[in-house]
Amino acid sequence: MPGPKLTLSLSVPQQSRQSSLLYRSALIQLHWQVLDVNSCFFLRLQSLLQILESVIKFRWGALPEEQRQGIKNYISNLIIKLSSDDQIFRRQKVFLNKLNVILVQVLKQDWPHKWPTFVTDIVGASKTSETLCENSMHILKLLSEEVFDFSRGEMTQAKIKDLKNSLNSEFKLIHELCLFVLNASQKPDLIRATLGTLYAFLSWVPLGYVFESNLVEILLKLFPQPAFRNLALQCLTEIGSLSVGPEADAQFVQLYVIFMNQLVTVLPITADIPKAYEQGSDDEQEFVQNLAIFLTGFLKAHISIMEEGHENQQALIMGLQYVVNISYVEADEVLKICLDYWNLFVPDVYTTSQTTDVNAQFSFGPISTTPNRKNLYNGILSKLRGLMIARMAKPEEVIVVEDENGNIVRETMKDTDTLARYKTMHETLVYLSNLGHDDTEHQMLEQLRLQSQLQNGRELSWSGLNTLCWAIGSISGSMLEEQENRFLVTVIRDLLNLCEITRGKDNKAVIASNIMYVVGQYPRFLRNHWKFLKTVVNKLFEFMHETHPGVQDMACETFLKICHKCKRKFVQVQLGEQETFISELLNELTSTIQDLETHQIHMFYEAVGLMIGADATREKQDHYLGRLMGPPNATWREIINQAQAQPDILRQTEIVRNIQNILQTNVSVTLKLIETFVDKCEDLSLVTESLVPAMMDPILGDYARNVPDARDAEVLSLFAAIINKLRDRMAKEVPTIFEAVFQVTLQMITKNFEEHPEHRLHFYGLLRAITNHCFGTLFTMSPDQLKLVIDSIIWAFRHTERNIAETGLNLLLEMLQSFQHSDFATQFHKTYYLALMREIFAVMTDSFHKPGFKLHVKILHHLFSIVNSGVIKAPLWDEAAKGPTAYPNNAVFVHEFVSDLLSHSFPNLRPAQLQACVAGMFELQDNTAFKDHLRDFLVQTKSFSSQDNADLFADEAAAAREAERQRLANIPGMLNPNEQQEEMQDA
């Protein structure tokens, strides 16, 4: 259809002509073509609108006043024109939405001071047409979101404050318009748009607008209607989550009670919500999630007022029951919403119950009318125990898992989301156990009985058994010792019996991992029950012969964990035994460890070493140690004898091992290359097979043979572009590229920081392309070549030129992330980890490298995280100098290394400060928190602080951590039993 006859003055003063030439061109074309929305110009118009939006956001102040006014009028008139006709409005919604965004950008610039009548204008225009009103709602929603949700980083704080004040002062008109629509309109699209606008405003409007009108009544009437249910529920959520004074308690109670009465008609309390969610539409699934948000949000803010009065209590319990049912939904986001609430609700009930119980013992006054919360929620608490048992997340200690194909495999990477969920569920279940030991025990044993019945019927449920055992392990220490002993006797006996009668390699692996996790969590029980301890350890020895992925690792880890807590039991002759357990173990040492890998044998020897160290008799220690070291000493003598006869054998063995590793890696890389080759288009094959080979010698050879001044930096840029395009199909050419350009270019750019700047930039661009797209080629390099690569990266991020340093840091981060997932992770980190840690700390604490701080943080966060992830399989310390068992693990060693590094570099830091800094670097998993911590560390390094606030800060930080630990320690079962120091351990 033809466009409207609008005019727009585009004349500008001479001094502004150049700056607005592009904008005038865009607007002229927009003027002639914008409304011909069915023409071939539509995509072009979208681009023009994008240009116009950028102009308004970034160059609005550079335009003359008359042009700004012209653009504003033009966009406003165009929006009115398009949204006044219902057919055009529906047909061109995407286009109109873009115009709305542009108008809001104008408002962020000119409203309220240069457009004071905007709200009055848009409210008045909205009452002339329902489609125009609907679009006005979209504009108002966008404006609210821009001001209250997305303003940070877009506008100054003063401007944000000004816009918020303006919206607050003029919300009365918007509120009246919304109520007018909701009371009078019968048009579904308009009602939905109005609800969406209300939802954007409700989080910040004054409370009077909510309860001094019929808004809540309208929302409750709209909620049962499927077309408006989700939007109405979102609005009710914003209202219900408000925390205000007691003057509004009655209104909140009324809202909740009426809502619950309506909810049972929409979704009966008896409905199978998880099944309904699984089979439901997107809107129905969204409703379940919105319902969880509403109920948890309302109860967080107002549960105390709902506990008063029988009718209120019934509605309250019903709401909690809904949240329990929703918690079984198989959707991570929904579960997280529910778990976050339960992790607040259950500790609150526990805390108040402890207080109530104490007060009740010494109360001589009138009987309190406040309900006993533990009794009030008894049924809900019981159901929550069942929920936590059924849905317990996997703890870190369990490494035998089920993959996406249903196979039982060894876990290769830790899932941080799962670990965080386990922490939440563990804490919640410990509180639940303390609130009802008997019910917790009953439910767990009943579930174990059902699992045994399923196995007898050959219907073992991996998921059900896993979550049950993870839950059992998570509550260690929460019961009284006598009850825990009785409970564990049944659990361990039934699990061992289950393992005996189970058939199938995968099934046995699942049960084995669960047995090992459970027994590892209850050292107190094992110390007090020798027969169970001996049976468990012998079972671990059986598992050490099980070659199923992960089982042997977990068996050795559990054995080591038990030896830490029960070591004396193994060097004492126990009742009914003829000799010490360690003697029996050493008799069968060779057969016990014959199927273990090298790192597992090291773990086994460490565990036996703990036993030997627990014997108080020096003669026995020497005797045990001689027997323990017999097999490896025999192997060592054999190697020495062979080496004396043929010294080259040591070198040949190492060469063969290295060749084997390289061949294995090459096979893997080749498979990837073939897979990628298949996926590539024919044109790229032509480039790879014909063009690139023809370019190699004429271009690369010439570059290599030339004198430095004759080498063109564009050669480096060209091959970086080719690799970025062809990606790993260029892998076979990378060695040739490396040979031709690497060393000769480094000789040019490392003489100083000034010469050959283009070569510098393009060289690291090429190296980054190789690292990102042909990473496997790094494995084919010699150690000297790879060291040259690492040294060149270190040299780059030492550079004071920002682009070079940033490229080097990005390159290092990408390389670290790639090596993390490679077969060479251990070898790489053992060689370069400490040097990289030292170098990054050096540049981060150098004021010349402040611009790289963000990347310094990411790299250090990665280095601290990976040392705890299990990726590095060998010690990072010098084994030749310190021995392989000098430190319990790499994390302990790195902690000491970093502490020494920083203490020597910053002698002004007091020990308490230093320990707090290093501890935070290990403990903070969130990148933002880690960044803030490093920023605080840099502040502390700037000046000597013996008497100032820095000391106070360090002490308070340490005290806060200790206080949190003490708080958890006062709740039975909250701390991991293997991390506690027990006074009478092994007594």
Side-chain angles (χ1 to χ4, degrees):
M1 63 177 289
K5 303 300 183 181
L6 297 174
T7 58
L8 179 62
S9 171
L10 295 173
S11 60
V12 294
Q14 179 66 32
Q15 63 269 25
S16 302
R17 192 177 303 279
Q18 290 183 341
S19 65
S20 57
L21 182 61
L22 176 63
Y23 316 147
R24 289 185 295 146
S25 174
L27 288 173
I28 290 170
Q29 295 180 69
L30 185 66
H31 173 68
W32 290 105
Q33 299 167 5
V34 73
L35 283 183
D36 193 6
V37 288
N38 289 324
S39 72
C40 61
F41 295 109
F42 182 75
L43 292 177
R44 190 178 181 188
L45 292 177
Q46 291 289 87
S47 177
L48 292 171
L49 289 175
Q50 190 66 45
I51 294 173
L52 182 57
E53 183 183 0
S54 297
V55 170
I56 297 169
K57 288 176 69 174
F58 305 115
R59 300 300 300 273
W60 187 248
L63 298 179
E65 175 62 30
E66 64 271 20
Q67 188 168 351
R68 293 201 300 268
Q69 189 63 38
I71 293 174
K72 183 164 61 178
N73 293 341
Y74 187 83
I75 295 299
S76 301
N77 292 339
L78 191 53
I79 288 174
I80 292 172
K81 178 68 178 180
L82 289 173
S83 57
S84 296
D85 185 292
D86 190 69
Q87 290 186 348
I88 295 177
F89 177 72
R90 303 297 168 197
R91 190 169 67 243
Q92 303 306 332
K93 200 135 190 185
V94 173
F95 183 63
L96 186 57
N97 286 341
K98 187 63 178 178
L99 290 173
N100 292 340
V101 171
I102 292 173
L103 180 63
V104 170
Q105 294 300 331
V106 172
L107 290 169
K108 287 165 64 177
Q109 301 286 344
D110 282 5
W111 183 68
H113 301 297
K114 295 182 179 179
W115 197 349
T117 62
F118 164 71
V119 174
T120 304
D121 293 344
I122 196 171
V123 170
S126 297
K127 295 180 179 179
T128 63
S129 164
E130 284 194 309
T131 53
L132 184 59
C133 183
E134 182 178 341
N135 192 65
S136 297
M137 292 297 176
H138 293 312
I139 294 172
L140 291 170
K141 178 184 177 183
L142 282 172
L143 180 60
S144 177
E145 291 173 343
E146 285 290 327
V147 173
F148 286 92
D149 299 332
F150 312 131
S151 56
R152 186 177 181 183
E154 293 279 334
M155 298 179 285
T156 65
Q157 292 300 309
K159 182 64 176 178
I160 294 171
K161 183 178 180 181
D162 193 21
L163 290 177
K164 288 182 176 180
N165 289 337
S166 298
L167 276 176
N168 268 310
S169 63
E170 302 204 53
F171 181 70
K172 180 180 179 182
L173 292 173
I174 300 172
H175 179 254
E176 290 174 351
L177 176 63
C178 291
L179 289 183
F180 173 76
V181 171
L182 294 178
N183 281 303
S185 179
Q186 300 296 318
K187 191 174 183 180
D189 288 337
L190 176 56
I191 295 175
R192 279 194 291 268
T194 304
L195 290 173
T197 301
L198 269 175
Y199 175 62
F201 279 88
L202 280 172
S203 61
W204 55 266
V205 300
L207 193 63
Y209 287 111
V210 176
F211 289 121
E212 294 177 10
S213 66
N214 66 339
L215 176 59
V216 173
E217 179 184 348
I218 294 172
L219 293 173
L220 290 171
K221 287 181 178 178
L222 291 173
F223 169 69
Q225 303 177 46
F228 312 122
R229 181 172 298 149
N230 277 316
L231 285 167
L233 184 52
Q234 288 175 338
C235 293
L236 289 169
T237 299
E238 288 294 337
I239 295 172
S241 300
L242 295 172
S243 295
V244 294
E247 66 276 5
D249 285 355
Q251 288 95 326
F252 282 114
V253 170
Q254 184 180 22
L255 183 158
Y256 183 81
V257 171
I258 295 174
F259 175 83
M260 294 306 299
N261 289 336
Q262 291 183 337
L263 178 60
V264 294
T265 65
V266 173
L267 183 67
I269 190 67
T270 56
D272 187 342
I273 295 180
K275 183 176 181 180
Y277 183 93
E278 182 182 2
Q279 299 176 351
S281 63
D282 289 345
D283 283 345
E284 290 167 336
Q285 291 184 348
E286 183 183 0
F287 167 67
V288 172
Q289 181 167 326
N290 287 337
L291 179 59
I293 296 172
F294 169 80
L295 290 171
T296 57
F298 184 93
L299 295 176
K300 284 177 186 177
H302 307 293
I303 192 170
S304 59
I305 61 175
M306 297 306 302
E307 292 175 345
E308 300 174 1
H310 180 68
E311 182 181 353
N312 292 349
Q313 290 177 8
Q314 285 186 317
L316 169 60
I317 297 301
M318 183 187 298
L320 291 170
Q321 180 61 60
Y322 271 106
V323 182
V324 171
N325 294 346
I326 294 172
S327 300
Y328 283 95
V329 167
E330 292 289 340
D332 289 344
E333 187 59 35
V334 176
L335 178 60
K336 185 179 185 302
I337 293 167
C338 299
L339 289 180
D340 286 346
Y341 177 70
W342 296 131
N343 197 230
L344 292 173
F345 169 76
V346 178
D348 184 48
V349 174
Y350 173 82
T351 303
T352 55
S353 297
Q354 296 294 102
T355 305
T356 302
D357 291 345
V358 171
N359 291 342
Q361 296 177 27
F362 302 99
S363 176
F364 299 95
I367 299 176
S368 173
T369 58
T370 303
N372 184 308
R373 302 185 79 210
K374 183 177 176 180
N375 293 337
L376 174 64
Y377 298 121
N378 189 53
I380 293 296
L381 295 174
S382 180
K383 291 177 180 178
L384 282 177
R385 294 183 189 104
L387 168 68
M388 296 299 158
I389 293 169
R391 301 217 61 185
M392 179 58 67
K394 185 185 75 64
E396 186 175 12
E397 294 87 344
V398 176
I399 59 175
V400 178
V401 297
E402 184 178 357
D403 66 11
E404 63 273 11
N405 299 317
N407 300 318
I408 300 300
V409 298
R410 190 198 192 285
E411 184 179 52
T412 55
M413 293 293 294
K414 299 294 183 184
D415 186 340
T416 54
D417 290 339
T418 300
L419 295 180
R421 189 183 308 152
Y422 171 78
K423 181 178 183 295
T424 300
M425 300 185 78
H426 153 67
E427 291 180 0
T428 306
L429 187 55
V430 167
Y431 280 116
L432 287 167
S433 178
N434 280 282
L435 283 165
H437 298 307
D438 293 342
D439 185 59
T440 303
E441 178 185 10
H442 170 74
Q443 290 202 44
M444 288 181 171
L445 293 180
E446 178 63 18
Q447 286 299 316
L448 186 57
R449 184 185 65 81
L450 292 175
Q451 290 296 323
S452 299
Q453 288 181 350
L454 288 173
Q455 172 56 22
N456 290 332
R458 300 297 186 265
E459 298 177 1
L460 181 65
S461 167
W462 290 343
S463 176
L465 183 62
N466 284 340
T467 57
L468 170 61
C469 291
W470 299 341
I472 291 172
S474 73
I475 63 168
S476 173
S478 65
M479 297 179 179
L480 295 176
E481 186 169 355
E482 182 180 351
Q483 184 177 19
E484 184 178 270
N485 290 343
R486 183 180 67 246
F487 172 62
L488 262 294
V489 165
T490 304
V491 168
I492 295 176
R493 182 193 62 214
D494 288 357
L495 286 175
L496 291 174
N497 289 339
L498 194 58
C499 189
E500 292 298 322
I501 64 174
T502 298
R503 298 293 176 264
K505 197 175 182 68
D506 281 352
N507 289 338
K508 279 188 172 294
V510 170
I511 299 175
S513 71
N514 285 319
I515 291 173
M516 290 186 284
Y517 173 65
V518 170
V519 298
Q521 292 299 106
Y522 286 90
R524 181 176 67 178
F525 170 81
L526 295 178
R527 284 199 303 272
N528 296 335
H529 297 80
W530 166 249
K531 289 187 177 180
F532 272 97
L533 174 58
K534 182 178 180 181
T535 302
V536 164
V537 172
N538 283 328
K539 181 59 69 171
L540 292 177
F541 291 167
E542 288 182 27
F543 293 153
M544 290 179 190
H545 299 288
E546 174 56 64
T547 57
H548 198 289
V551 173
Q552 289 173 307
D553 278 329
M554 200 166 174
C556 293
E557 290 170 2
T558 306
F559 179 50
L560 178 59
K561 186 186 296 185
I562 290 175
C563 287
H564 271 290
K565 294 294 184 179
C566 308
K567 48 185 177 288
R568 290 197 186 98
K569 297 296 180 182
F570 300 114
V571 293
Q572 299 169 347
V573 179
Q574 302 295 327
L575 184 65
E577 302 291 345
Q578 300 299 317
E579 58 181 346
T580 60
F581 183 84
I582 191 172
S583 295
E584 295 181 18
L585 181 154
L586 293 172
N587 289 337
E588 304 294 331
L589 177 62
T590 303
S591 60
T592 301
I593 65 174
Q594 64 183 6
D595 294 324
L596 297 179
E597 297 179 6
T598 303
H599 73 281
Q600 295 163 348
I601 293 174
H602 290 167
M603 205 181 306
F604 185 94
Y605 267 66
E606 180 183 352
V608 179
L610 289 171
M611 294 183 187
I612 295 174
D615 197 304
T617 308
R618 180 61 182 269
E619 292 77 11
K620 288 186 178 179
Q621 285 184 344
D622 291 343
H623 172 70
Y624 292 145
L625 189 59
R627 294 178 63 186
L628 176 65
M629 299 307 296
N633 285 342
T635 304
W636 172 255
R637 286 191 294 270
E638 182 181 353
I639 293 173
I640 293 299
N641 291 336
Q642 292 177 354
Q644 288 174 344
Q646 190 179 1
D648 287 345
I649 193 172
L650 297 175
R651 186 182 303 167
Q652 293 173 359
T653 303
E654 186 65 27
I655 290 174
V656 170
R657 184 178 294 112
N658 287 336
I659 291 175
Q660 181 182 7
N661 290 336
I662 292 172
L663 288 175
Q664 289 174 343
T665 303
N666 282 338
V667 168
S668 175
V669 172
T670 302
L671 291 175
K672 289 185 178 180
L673 288 173
I674 294 173
E675 180 181 353
T676 306
F677 178 82
V678 172
D679 292 335
K680 292 294 182 180
C681 67
E682 195 171 336
D683 292 344
L684 294 183
S685 297
L686 181 64
V687 175
T688 305
E689 296 167 5
S690 301
L691 183 60
V692 171
M695 293 167 55
M696 298 303 284
D697 186 71
I699 297 179
L700 286 180
D702 178 70
Y703 183 93
R705 292 187 293 267
N706 251 319
V707 295
D709 289 341
R711 295 181 186 127
D712 194 342
E714 292 302 317
V715 172
L716 305 175
S717 177
L718 170 64
F719 278 89
I722 292 174
I723 293 173
N724 284 328
K725 180 68 176 178
L726 299 180
R727 305 173 78 85
D728 54 352
R729 297 181 65 186
M730 282 292 292
K732 63 180 181 180
E733 306 292 352
V734 166
T736 306
I737 298 172
F738 187 90
E739 188 70 27
V741 306
F742 206 89
Q743 192 139 8
V744 295
T745 306
L746 276 179
Q747 291 172 356
M748 294 169 57
I749 66 177
T750 55
K751 290 181 179 179
N752 53 58
F753 283 168
E754 289 78 32
E755 294 181 15
H756 309 294
E758 291 186 356
H759 286 78
R760 251 187 220 100
L761 197 58
H762 294 321
F763 171 79
Y764 288 108
L766 173 61
L767 185 55
R768 192 175 181 185
I770 293 172
T771 302
N772 285 340
H773 304 306
C774 303
F775 182 72
T777 59
L778 296 181
F779 301 152
T780 65
M781 294 180 181
S782 68
D784 290 339
Q785 285 177 318
L786 185 56
K787 184 178 186 303
L788 194 60
V789 171
I790 301 301
D791 288 345
S792 68
I793 294 174
I794 292 173
W795 189 89
F797 64 69
R798 285 178 179 174
H799 206 290
T800 54
E801 209 283 314
R802 181 170 180 171
N803 289 342
I804 303 296
E806 188 170 300
T807 301
L809 291 169
N810 276 310
L811 178 54
L812 176 60
L813 181 60
E814 291 158 2
M815 183 177 287
L816 287 171
Q817 291 169 341
S818 297
F819 264 109
Q820 178 184 0
H821 304 293
S822 76
D823 294 339
F824 289 80
T826 298
Q827 179 181 339
F828 174 81
H829 287 95
K830 188 169 179 62
T831 307
Y832 297 108
Y833 182 96
L834 300 181
L836 291 174
M837 179 75 80
R838 185 184 296 110
E839 291 290 345
I840 292 298
F841 267 113
V843 293
M844 187 186 73
T845 53
D846 185 345
S847 59
F848 284 103
H849 291 89
K850 282 183 179 179
F853 178 68
K854 180 179 179 180
L855 287 168
H856 299 154
V857 170
K858 289 185 177 180
I859 292 170
L860 286 175
H861 190 249
H862 176 90
L863 290 173
F864 280 108
S865 298
I866 200 172
V867 82
N868 281 318
S869 68
V871 170
I872 307 173
K873 306 297 185 184
L876 291 172
W877 61 89
D878 186 350
E879 293 178 83
K882 298 186 176 183
T885 61
Y887 299 90
N889 52 56
N890 282 326
V892 174
F893 167 70
V894 172
H895 192 288
E896 179 182 300
F897 172 81
V898 174
S899 298
D900 290 343
L901 175 66
L902 298 182
S903 64
H904 286 94
S905 301
F906 305 102
N908 56 304
L909 291 180
R910 291 168 62 85
Q913 284 180 293
L914 189 64
Q915 289 306 312
C917 288
V918 178
M921 294 172 191
F922 276 88
E923 294 169 2
L924 296 172
Q925 300 299 315
D926 178 73
N927 190 68
T928 301
F930 186 84
K931 181 179 180 180
D932 292 338
H933 182 73
L934 288 189
R935 187 180 286 112
D936 291 341
F937 161 71
L938 291 178
V939 172
Q940 291 183 351
T941 63
K942 300 305 179 188
S943 60
F944 283 76
S945 51
S946 57
Q947 300 294 329
D948 61 8
N949 289 339
D951 281 348
L952 298 177
F953 174 79
D955 293 340
E956 288 173 358
R961 286 195 299 271
E962 182 60 26
E964 174 64 11
R965 178 178 173 83
Q966 289 298 326
R967 184 188 70 81
L968 294 176
N970 289 330
I971 302 167
M974 193 59 75
L975 296 182
N976 189 320
N978 294 294
E979 297 175 356
Q980 298 181 53
Q981 298 295 326
E982 300 168 63
E983 295 180 3
M984 299 302 292
Q985 189 168 298
D986 270 354

